[in-house]
């Protein structure tokens, strides 16, 4: 079976912790080359995980004619530069979330990709997990009535000054790193865009990034709320509450890959825990994107989705600055 050869830009901890092993089990793509500004790092990773080629620069990966698609797990502030260079190289690109530093960057990248006819997708892996597909189907078929509100909690404690998630100019902070999920989830579940947002952010006294971000998002009646933090205990949960029931997604994003995922559904009949076969959302995402490239079909998550998510992120920032409702 034909498999797309993936070129990876960078040896990020995210790639090593969550991506490199799932790519060994994918059906439609495989790791082929990895590039780093430090060629020794690239060589070490390649040897450890049986990646055929390694390079001492990102450009070298893009120049390899055998690389069929590119994965970008670089820091947020580098996304636009390397997405555009990948598009110029004519290679389909899967870029980690958030796709850019703001909606203007997202729009520029999406337009460039569309004009060039090059597939580009933002990497929100959770959407591909069977657990989330099931949750959305429960909502779509009104098994818990009409949704009234969705609340997302997501936090971790990251005290390192040198970590890229704590550097403002690198696109660090709670909103960009994990708040983007809390914004994506209600859009994914409701299947439409919000009207306005009110937000509150607290800056870290040393780093200058937002260490706590909270928001109220108005979906023209139903609403979504979230709180995300980079200075709190590691915790994540999503509650979806309707007129006749609810869904609780216990580990919504960093879903374990070695035990079944679980969500709890409450309806008029009773309470049930629904378990799902062991799955890796990252591998599923890569396969879905690669299959679309091979088939020539529409990519699973549109560029418009990436732009619209960034618009809400921008609105959260603006609301926090002005203490006002911001229309989307």
């Amino acid at each position: 079976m034909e498999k797309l050869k993936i070129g990876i830009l960078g040896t990020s901890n995210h790639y090593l912790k969550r991506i490199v092993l799932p790519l060994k089990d994918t059906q439609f793509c495989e790791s082929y080359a990895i590039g780093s500004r430090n060629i020794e790092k690239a060589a070490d990773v390649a040897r450890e995980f049986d990646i055929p080629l390694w390079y001492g620069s990102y450009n070298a990966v893009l120049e390899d004619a055998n690389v069929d698609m590119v994965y970008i797990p670089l820091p947020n502030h580098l996304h636009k530069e390397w997405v555009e260079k990948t598009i110029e190289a004519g290679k389909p690109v899967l870029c980690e979330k958030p796709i850019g530093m703001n909606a203007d960057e997202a729009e520029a990248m999406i337009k460039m990709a569309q004009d060039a006819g090059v597939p580009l997708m933002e990497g929100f892996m959770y959407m591909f997990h069977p657990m989330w597909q099931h949750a959305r189907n429960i909502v779509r078929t009104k098994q818990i009535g009409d949704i009234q509100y969705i609340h997302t909690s997501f936090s971790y404690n990251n005290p390192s000054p040198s970590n890229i998630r704590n550097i403002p100019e690198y696109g660090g902070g709670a909103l960009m790193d994990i708040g983007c999920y809390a914004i994506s989830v209600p859009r994914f579940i409701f299947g439409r865009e919000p009207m306005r947002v009110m937000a509150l952010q607290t800056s870290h006294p040393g780093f200058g990034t937002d260490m706590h971000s909270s928001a109220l998002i108005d979906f023209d009646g139903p609403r979504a709320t979230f709180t995300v933090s980079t200075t709190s205990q590691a915790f994540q949960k999503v509650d979806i509450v309707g007129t006749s029931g609810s869904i609780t997604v216990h580990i919504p994003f960093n879903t374990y890959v070695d035990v079944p995922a679980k969500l709890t559904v409450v309806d008029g009949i009773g309470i049930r825990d629904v378990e799902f076969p062991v799955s890796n959302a990252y591998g599923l995402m890569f396969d879905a994107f690669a299959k679309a490239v091979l088939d020539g079909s529409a990519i699973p998550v549109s560029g418009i989705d990436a732009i619209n998510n960034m618009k809400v992120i921008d609105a959260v920032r603006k609301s926090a600055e002005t203490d006002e409702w911001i229309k989307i």
Side-chain angles (χ1 to χ4, degrees), residues 52-324:
L53 296 175
W54 59 89
Y55 294 107
S57 72
Y58 306 146
N59 274 322
V61 175
L62 302 185
E63 291 167 359
D64 187 328
N66 291 318
V67 169
D68 299 312
M69 63 174 275
V70 171
Y71 171 58
I72 300 179
L74 297 170
N76 296 334
H77 71 300
L78 296 177
H79 286 180
K80 183 173 185 290
E81 174 186 357
W82 289 100
V83 164
E84 291 182 343
K85 287 182 177 180
T86 304
I87 293 169
E88 288 172 354
K91 299 182 188 295
V93 54
L94 178 57
C95 180
E96 265 304 326
K97 59 78 208 165
I99 197 168
M101 295 285 277
N102 51 55
D104 288 342
E105 285 196 1
E107 287 181 354
M109 284 183 272
I110 298 301
K111 184 179 186 304
M112 183 178 179
Q114 290 174 341
D115 290 346
V118 173
L120 166 61
M121 191 174 85
E122 183 179 34
F124 273 112
M125 78 297 175
Y126 80 92
M127 300 180 186
F128 297 87
H129 198 287
M131 175 178 67
W132 274 105
Q133 295 292 325
H134 188 67
R136 185 165 68 166
N137 284 336
I138 289 174
V139 170
R140 290 170 63 199
T141 53
K142 294 188 179 294
Q143 295 177 44
I144 57 170
D146 296 321
I147 303 306
Q148 300 300 293
Y149 68 88
I150 298 172
H151 180 68
T152 300
S153 302
F154 197 178
S155 61
Y156 61 88
N157 193 353
N158 181 1
S160 171
S162 61
N163 190 287
I164 59 172
R165 293 166 183 82
N166 289 329
I167 302 174
E169 57 268 31
Y170 286 8
L175 177 64
M176 288 285 276
D177 187 37
I178 51 181
C180 58
Y181 287 109
I183 290 168
S184 175
V185 159
R187 295 179 51 255
F188 177 74
I189 291 296
F190 285 127
R192 64 180 188 271
E193 301 304 326
M195 297 180 62
R196 57 181 183 157
V197 63
M198 172 67 81
L200 177 66
Q201 291 185 299
T202 303
S203 294
H204 191 283
F207 306 148
T209 54
D210 63 292
M211 63 180 185
H212 307 305
S213 281
S214 303
L216 171 61
I217 308 172
D218 179 12
F219 281 83
D220 193 19
R223 60 199 57 176
T225 56
F226 71 79
T227 291
V228 294
S229 174
T230 58
T231 59
S232 302
Q233 176 187 1
F235 181 77
Q236 52 184 277
K237 188 175 76 162
V238 173
D239 289 303
I240 304 168
V241 181
T243 53
S244 59
S246 64
I247 302 169
T248 297
V249 188
H250 298 282
I251 304 179
F253 308 117
N254 300 122
T255 311
Y256 293 125
V257 299
D258 53 359
V259 295
K262 182 180 75 173
L263 54 80
T264 300
V265 182
V266 180
D267 59 21
I269 300 172
I271 302 173
R272 67 186 187 273
D273 288 332
V274 186
E275 291 192 347
F276 301 84
V278 171
S279 301
N280 191 302
Y282 288 101
L284 294 171
M285 175 180 68
F286 272 87
D287 255 350
F289 180 72
K291 187 176 186 300
V293 172
L294 288 166
D295 292 346
S297 56
I299 61 172
V301 183
S302 71
I304 270 295
D305 186 85
I307 294 169
N308 287 341
N309 213 62
M310 289 302 312
K311 284 182 177 179
V312 183
I313 290 173
D314 289 351
V316 168
R317 289 196 193 103
K318 188 173 180 180
S319 176
E321 291 169 359
T322 62
D323 289 328
E324 295 177 347

